[in-house]
Amino acid sequence: YLHDYADIKKIQTVDTMEDAKEAITKALNSCQSGIVLHIQQYEQTDMVQWVDDYGDAYAEMLMEQPQVTENLYPEEGSSRIMVLKFSYQNSRETLREMQTQVGKVVDTAVKAARQEPDPALRFGALYDHLMGLFEEFQQETSMTPAYSLLIHGVGDCHAFATVYGAFCRRAGLECMVVTGTRNGEPWSWNIVKSGEMYYHLDLPASRAAGEFRLLADADMSGYVWDYALYPPCGVEIPMEE
């Protein structure tokens, strides 16, 4: 790792990969163009996939999925320098402004949902708030999913699923994003935990049906997903002994 003294001074030293991920999270949230870490207990990690997963889990923070390049020095060993570079289509100033606008919409939605005394009803309140933002949504893929969906009403099924997941997380509700297929085409939706049971929630399908619909596994005709990765839906969760 051959750089000048000024570059070397910018290196952050962390102990574990969890510490590294915390530092990377801060860099992503502040829309930095990269980060250099000295990791003392390095473990092999697919950082491109990790950043992609972070964008799904924190759609209100990562406005645009960056192109990620990673370099490690040395190539082997438990103590390494990791150089990550994030390339965006939008400027940092633009991305930060998008974060601000999206954050206001998310805060308003969560505040409205928390007025529901029954936590189970908050899922429906979040759905109503999201669907009430625009009379019509354009079903298109965007490089800025949360911003395009919440500010301009443009988004695909994955944008709906990740944004709704962010709503739920901020509201203290358990919700996960599922990636699979619907009628043979790539599709994303949510699984939520309401009471003691899990349910599927396909937001675009619910909107098309004109009602908020929580579905069991048996209701998911035409959908395929990795059943081993997600809990069964529509059945009571067994009590731990």
Side-chain angles (χ1 to χ4, degrees), residues 119-127 164 168 173-174 192-194 212:
L121 296 179
R122 292 174 187 168
F123 289 109
L126 291 173
Y127 170 86
Y164 187 78
C168 290
L173 301 171
E174 186 173 344
V192 303
K193 184 182 180 184
S194 180
F212 176 71

Side-chain angles (χ1 to χ4, degrees), residues 114-212:
R114 284 177 173 166
Q115 293 178 0
E116 288 287 353
D118 185 351
L121 296 179
R122 292 174 187 168
F123 289 109
L126 291 173
Y127 170 86
D128 289 340
H129 188 88
L130 176 56
M131 294 304 174
L133 292 175
F134 298 93
E135 185 174 342
E136 296 290 340
F137 285 90
Q138 299 180 46
Q139 297 290 319
E140 297 180 13
T141 300
S142 169
M143 72 170 62
T144 54
Y147 176 79
S148 295
L149 183 67
L150 296 178
I151 307 302
H152 298 294
V154 177
D156 57 15
C157 60
H158 195 69
F160 272 103
T162 54
V163 167
Y164 187 78
F167 277 13
C168 290
R169 177 177 48 78
R170 291 282 294 275
L173 301 171
E174 186 173 344
C175 175
M176 58 196 80
V177 176
V178 183
T179 301
T181 63
R182 187 181 75 167
N183 299 326
E185 298 293 330
W187 200 256
S188 298
W189 64 97
N190 299 102
I191 287 179
V192 303
K193 184 182 180 184
S194 180
E196 295 302 317
M197 299 177 70
Y198 288 95
Y199 298 94
H200 297 275
L201 172 60
D202 183 338
L203 276 77
S206 287
R207 183 177 177 87
E211 61 179 352
F212 176 71

Side-chain angles (χ1 to χ4, degrees), residues 51-155:
V51 172
D52 189 58
D53 292 342
Y54 178 78
D56 283 352
Y58 293 86
E60 82 281 18
M61 297 303 301
L62 200 60
M63 293 295 98
E64 177 187 334
Q65 191 68 38
Q67 293 291 323
V68 182
T69 58
E70 175 188 9
N71 289 290
L72 293 168
Y73 307 91
E75 294 183 358
E76 297 181 355
S78 59
S79 178
R80 302 198 206 180
I81 291 177
M82 174 188 286
V83 181
L84 292 178
K85 294 183 179 180
F86 309 128
S87 299
Y88 299 94
Q89 295 294 315
N90 291 281
S91 69
R92 186 183 186 190
E93 293 74 18
T94 299
L95 293 171
R96 295 299 297 270
E97 177 59 28
M98 289 180 180
Q99 279 183 335
T100 299
Q101 294 184 52
V102 166
K104 291 178 181 178
V105 178
V106 174
D107 289 344
T108 300
V110 171
K111 182 178 180 180
R114 284 177 173 166
Q115 293 178 0
E116 288 287 353
D118 185 351
L121 296 179
R122 292 174 187 168
F123 289 109
L126 291 173
Y127 170 86
D128 289 340
H129 188 88
L130 176 56
M131 294 304 174
L133 292 175
F134 298 93
E135 185 174 342
E136 296 290 340
F137 285 90
Q138 299 180 46
Q139 297 290 319
E140 297 180 13
T141 300
S142 169
M143 72 170 62
T144 54
Y147 176 79
S148 295
L149 183 67
L150 296 178
I151 307 302
H152 298 294
V154 177

